[in-house]
Amino acid sequence: QVQLVESGGGLVQAGGSLRLSCAGSGRTFSTNPMAWFRQAPGKVREFVSGISWNAGSTYYADSVKGRFTISRDSAKNAVYLEMNSLKPEDTAIYYCAARRAFAAVARNYDYDYWGQGTQVTVSS
């Protein structure tokens, strides 16, 4: 059973920080590009950040650039999203996703594996 499980979400005040984790199980994701998406109530799921399979390239939505940092640890079969200077508009369910091996990072929904999400709530 292949799974991606997110953790680290919670309630934080504006200006605060959170670190999200995505742990893979059932297989290794060391050769998969990984990404974080988020979906707020009443809105479509949007791309937040992505990282290439070899960690050589990272990508960010304009809305989070300079505030969020994506990273990965192949030994732990995990990816992370460090979120700083959080704003109320960052409130959403955050999803981890993995694309097919050796593929490029995509900003659309063309991913093969998805986690169930972790809630991030930023209060003002």
Side-chain angles (χ1 to χ4, degrees), residues 52-114:
S52 61
W53 70 269
N54 62 359
S57 300
T58 57
Y59 307 86
Y60 299 92
D62 289 342
S63 59
V64 307
K65 199 169 298 181
R67 298 189 297 120
F68 292 9
T69 302
I70 189 171
S71 61
R72 66 190 303 161
D73 187 337
S74 295
K76 296 181 178 179
N77 203 26
V79 296
Y80 308 95
L81 185 67
E82 184 173 340
M83 305 183 292
N84 299 311
S85 302
L86 284 163
K87 305 174 181 179
E89 50 262 45
D90 294 318
T91 296
I93 299 176
Y94 283 71
Y95 298 89
C96 176
R99 208 170 183 222
R100 55 190 173 274
F102 303 112
V105 170
R107 291 178 181 267
N108 59 20
Y109 309 134
D110 187 21
Y111 285 77
D112 299 281
Y113 303 96
W114 293 84

